[in-house]
Amino acid sequence: MVQESQHAAAVLEEQAFLDQALARHSQLLAHLESEASALPTSVEAQARGALLRRRHRELDQARKGLVFGRIDALDGTVRRIGRVGVSNQDEHADPLVLDWRAAAARPFYTATPLQPEGQSRRRHVLVEAATVTGVNDEPLSGGTDNGLVGEGALLSALGQRRTGQMSAAIATLQREQDDIIRAEADGPLIVQGGPGTGKTVVALHRVAYLLFTHEQIADQAVLVLGPSHRFLDYIAQVLPALGETAVVSATCDTLLPGVRVTRSESREQAEIKGREQWQPAIEAYVASLLPAPEDLKVRWEGEQHEVSAARVHQLLTAVRQRPYHQARQVFSGQFREVLTDIIVQARETLLDEVDEGYEDILARFTDGAGTESALTEDEVDEIRESVAASAEVTAVIQAWWPTLEPGLVLRNLLNSKEFLKGHLTGDETALVGCGPSGWASSDIPLLDAVAHELGDAAAPEPGGEFIADRARRQRNWVYGHVVIDEAQELSGMQWQMVLRRCPSRSITAVGDIDQTEAAHRRTSWAQAVGGVFGERWNAAELTICYRTPIEVMDLTGPVLQKAGSLNSPPRAVRSSGFAPWESSVRPEELAAAAQEAVQAMQQRWNGGTVGVVAPHARIAELAAALPGLPVLTSSEAKGLEWDAALVVDPHAIAAEPRGWNRLYVALTRCTQELAQIHLPADV
């Protein structure tokens, strides 16, 4: 009874504070609305208005989770932790609610009984809507340290039903996760983490932390690259819930504006096209498209003028290090200046010739003072302006140095066998080519490289009011930071795509090298990123599996061994209480067996989610038998999680390319229950 009364008193205490915080929250929203509506219509006020609207949106979206934690210091200081900071009415007082990303909030994620960091207690506050439903207190003095922070709240969250969308985890982040989230962003950080270690949680919360902490990154936006549209839909609510909007989410296939994948190709072709050696080959090919110097003749106001090949060569040499179209733009300006000088010199020469023979006559009218045949500055400026606007000059330059379309250039390159033989090794050129229409996934990085070397022929269209809208529309946008999930899948040329968008190399890449399914042959992170970063990258590791239960992780050892893993599997810290089960059926019984298994799982995990992972050859059959249920290949299921997972025909999955890696993915999608249906091996 004493504990119950203490818990009830704590709930009332936190409810009173939550009511206070929500009232202040509403007050701040009203103030932001009032200030934004009162702004004048000047250009300066527009920037202020955008800032106010962003802050309003952050506050409004943070209503859910406004307060989720509390830390009590040994000196009696109490701090509440929330999704965003809420200021106190007294501007000189500490914030009413401390933003989870603030340095002062870090002990909430890192303090342990062995290292309390000056804290006596951590409290997780459970809230539904505007009501405190419970608290979970954790003393930080004495006791043992099992590596978990806020174990009760963490295991409670992990035991909740899955909804089909990822949610923020700022209330239950663990120390090794928080260390990565708050790591410096001054270079590439590669994070290795097995299934259920929270790689995606870390990646997304790192985005929110960096945008909060580094103003320059927020000004440039953050690019989040995921493996699939399904995955991006799954995580779509996380960053807005954390109050962040300066984020562009994409896959490597959708990163190039206006270009989409419309055809497939063999894994062998994809592997060849993904190699880093394409980068210098593309640079050399585009450089070969620059025009050769020649005499350029221009008709201007009825007269023909010529810029010699030698002078053209000088101008061309000065700009050839620039992208193709930018080089032409600079050349065009310089060419017009040279042409202006030639025209001016021709005019003055003509005037000199006219003056000759009339010297005696002109001398009588000028008292022998002589004549001046040079054009005035105004006359020269008039010629310069006319040449600058001349359509005839533009036509001459365009004919000699034409605008090129990236797609056509890439098609010509892929079909230029002789050129490729000089830049690719072995007999790969026999497998490289490009059809008359459509792009494969491996073509997108090549097309991006061509577009970069060509440069934009015209200025990009303006985007929207928000930074993410502008960044999304521009191929050459430079991001403040890039976060990559399932980074082990990227080819060498996809890494080049990333580097072009973040030349500062402020990059966080998370993944599991043991879950690699891509066509490339890399089996270590050094192989995966060495081609783009060399040895200049930092490594981190997530070692604890929070999501996948012990019962399932115990099955993965032999699978990892057959996959050739060099890593230790993560340590699972929770049991679901459900032993994995399996059955064997004949092919004609598969649909009925799958239906029966799924129905039983749905009943056991009512309110949660069930998913099916199968080999590619079985997807159509199972999707027809299980309408409305996610029936996916292991590649499509990567990064997703369900309460219960049914793996169909695991032997066939293992027989697919990188099959043991695929099976490792398939077996680790559940948070509670795993089932397997086997088919005869000879089917």
Side-chain angles (χ1 to χ4, degrees):
M1 290 294 295
V2 174
Q3 289 183 343
E4 290 182 4
S5 63
Q6 289 177 341
H7 183 269
V11 169
L12 289 176
E13 179 187 11
E14 297 306 329
Q15 183 66 61
F17 181 83
L18 179 61
D19 292 341
Q20 179 186 1
L22 287 170
R24 177 60 176 160
H25 177 264
S26 298
Q27 186 181 50
L28 289 171
L29 285 176
H31 175 73
L32 289 169
E33 289 177 357
S34 175
E35 186 176 353
S37 62
L39 287 173
T41 58
S42 63
V43 175
E44 295 81 5
Q46 290 179 3
R48 173 65 177 167
L51 181 63
L52 292 173
R53 286 189 291 275
R54 177 183 176 186
R55 176 58 178 162
H56 185 281
R57 187 170 58 256
E58 291 174 349
L59 267 177
D60 189 44
Q61 292 174 334
R63 189 184 302 273
K64 181 180 179 181
L66 188 65
V67 179
F68 59 75
R70 162 178 165 170
I71 46 176
D72 295 12
L74 291 171
D75 64 5
T77 302
V78 174
R79 291 188 174 94
R80 262 71 175 208
I81 315 298
R83 192 158 284 186
V84 298
V86 178
S87 63
N88 212 310
Q89 284 187 316
D90 181 359
E91 62 181 18
H92 299 293
D94 290 337
L96 188 65
V97 179
L98 195 61
D99 192 299
W100 71 274
R101 295 162 290 191
R106 193 172 191 196
F108 183 79
Y109 302 105
T110 57
T112 67
L114 295 183
Q115 295 180 314
E117 300 182 22
Q119 310 301 314
S120 64
R121 180 179 65 180
R122 172 175 34 244
R123 169 177 288 176
H124 285 82
V125 182
L126 309 178
V127 178
E128 291 184 8
T131 302
V132 176
T133 59
V135 299
N136 188 311
D137 283 344
E138 181 186 8
L140 294 173
S141 56
T144 59
D145 187 353
N146 65 356
L148 299 182
V149 172
E151 181 177 4
L154 172 65
L155 296 181
S156 175
L158 292 172
Q160 293 178 1
R161 298 291 187 266
R162 267 43 193 172
T163 64
Q165 280 198 319
M166 189 178 191
S167 57
I170 46 177
T172 55
L173 291 173
Q174 297 298 293
R175 179 167 193 145
E176 69 174 11
Q177 295 174 329
D178 189 74
D179 287 343
I180 294 171
I181 288 169
R182 298 175 193 262
E184 293 297 322
D186 53 359
L189 176 64
I190 311 300
V191 182
Q192 163 65 26
T197 54
K199 298 183 294 294
T200 301
V201 165
V202 167
L204 297 179
H205 287 70
R206 179 159 168 77
V207 171
Y209 172 76
L210 293 175
L211 289 171
F212 173 82
T213 309
H214 300 283
E215 184 177 346
Q216 180 181 359
I217 290 178
D219 290 341
Q220 293 178 273
V222 171
L223 173 64
V224 175
L225 281 179
S228 66
H229 284 297
R230 186 183 293 271
F231 175 83
L232 294 180
D233 290 341
Y234 175 60
I235 67 171
Q237 300 303 314
V238 177
L239 288 171
L242 295 173
E244 299 303 342
T245 58
V247 178
V248 174
S249 297
T251 68
C252 286
D253 286 352
T254 63
L255 196 51
L256 196 53
V259 179
R260 292 294 179 266
V261 171
T262 58
R263 67 179 183 88
S264 59
E265 64 183 355
S266 70
R267 286 177 63 86
E268 192 172 19
Q269 287 176 312
E271 190 276 325
I272 292 171
K273 288 184 180 178
R275 298 176 186 175
E276 292 97 336
Q277 66 195 86
W278 281 94
Q279 185 63 40
I282 288 171
E283 293 172 2
Y285 185 76
V286 174
S288 73
L289 301 178
L290 288 173
E294 62 179 74
D295 296 335
L296 294 182
K297 299 177 181 179
V298 179
R299 182 166 293 278
W300 184 82
E301 292 190 356
E303 298 178 354
Q304 184 164 285
H305 301 277
E306 180 180 293
V307 179
S308 69
R311 191 72 177 98
V312 169
H313 175 73
Q314 291 177 339
L315 298 179
L316 191 59
T317 300
V319 301
R320 66 170 58 250
Q321 297 303 317
R322 299 172 182 266
Y324 179 94
H325 290 122
Q326 275 74 16
R328 185 184 66 182
Q329 183 179 5
V330 175
F331 174 90
S332 176
Q334 295 176 347
F335 178 84
R336 292 171 196 267
E337 285 294 325
V338 170
L339 182 60
T340 297
D341 291 341
I342 291 173
I343 292 172
V344 168
Q345 184 177 3
R347 286 291 179 89
E348 291 179 344
T349 299
L350 179 61
L351 289 175
D352 286 340
E353 291 174 352
V354 170
D355 287 348
E356 292 179 6
Y358 292 94
E359 293 175 351
D360 293 340
I361 299 174
L362 291 172
R364 298 195 201 114
F365 296 97
T366 58
D367 296 326
T371 61
E372 180 59 62
S373 59
L375 300 179
T376 66
E377 289 186 6
D378 289 343
E379 289 172 327
V380 173
D381 287 341
E382 184 179 346
I383 293 173
R384 180 176 290 108
E385 292 173 3
S386 179
V387 170
S390 171
E392 289 84 354
V393 176
T394 300
V396 168
I397 296 174
Q398 177 69 27
W400 174 68
W401 194 333
T403 299
L404 297 179
E405 196 276 316
L408 181 59
V409 171
L410 179 58
R411 292 186 190 284
N412 291 339
L413 169 60
L414 293 177
N415 292 315
S416 300
K417 300 298 184 183
E418 291 304 316
F419 180 87
L420 294 177
K421 285 180 180 178
H423 292 82
L424 299 181
T425 58
D427 298 326
E428 295 94 338
T429 54
L431 293 172
V432 174
C434 196
S437 63
W439 299 111
S441 178
S442 63
D443 291 323
I444 303 301
L446 303 182
L447 186 60
D448 186 69
V450 170
H452 178 76
E453 293 303 313
L454 290 176
D456 295 323
E461 296 181 11
E465 175 186 3
F466 299 113
I467 191 75
D469 295 327
R470 298 198 297 274
R472 190 177 291 108
R473 295 169 65 94
Q474 297 185 30
R475 176 198 57 78
N476 59 352
W477 186 271
V478 174
Y479 290 90
H481 193 81
V482 176
V483 168
I484 310 165
D485 206 325
E486 303 295 347
Q488 74 277 356
E489 304 297 339
L490 268 62
S491 69
M493 287 304 294
Q494 286 174 328
W495 277 110
Q496 292 289 343
M497 287 182 79
V498 172
L499 192 57
R500 278 190 286 275
R501 285 157 177 80
C502 193
S504 68
R505 303 191 176 196
S506 180
I507 297 167
T508 302
V510 304
D512 182 5
I513 204 71
D514 293 325
Q515 295 186 52
T516 304
E517 297 182 28
H520 59 70
R521 301 164 186 168
R522 299 178 176 93
T523 57
S524 71
W525 283 112
Q527 293 173 342
V529 303
V532 65
F533 298 136
E535 297 181 356
R536 300 181 63 182
W537 54 280
N538 296 315
E541 186 174 5
L542 295 166
T543 62
I544 301 174
C545 174
Y546 309 100
R547 179 194 69 206
T548 311
I550 295 171
E551 294 87 345
V552 173
M553 289 304 296
D554 285 345
L555 300 177
T556 62
V559 176
L560 279 176
Q561 187 175 13
K562 291 177 180 178
S565 172
L566 302 176
N567 299 302
S568 299
R571 175 174 65 91
V573 296
R574 56 181 287 271
S575 169
S576 68
F578 284 83
W581 58 274
E582 52 193 316
S583 63
S584 297
V585 301
R586 295 190 299 272
E588 62 270 20
E589 300 171 332
L590 177 59
Q595 290 173 338
E596 182 180 353
V598 165
Q599 288 172 0
M601 288 175 163
Q602 289 175 327
Q603 290 176 356
R604 280 191 290 273
W605 306 105
N606 184 34
T609 58
V610 177
V612 178
V613 185
H616 188 273
R618 297 286 178 184
I619 294 297
E621 174 189 1
L622 291 168
L626 302 168
L629 200 75
V631 179
L632 310 172
T633 65
S634 59
S635 296
E636 295 168 332
K638 191 183 294 289
L640 305 182
E641 62 181 37
W642 305 293
D643 293 275
L646 173 63
V647 178
V648 174
D649 201 357
H651 293 293
I653 294 176
E656 294 178 329
R658 299 292 281 262
W660 292 108
N661 302 80
R662 290 173 183 258
L663 185 57
Y664 183 49
V665 173
L667 293 175
T668 54
R669 295 306 94 200
C670 73
T671 64
Q672 305 292 350
E673 180 180 358
L674 171 67
Q676 300 181 67
I677 295 180
H678 296 275
L679 293 171
D682 59 348
V683 174

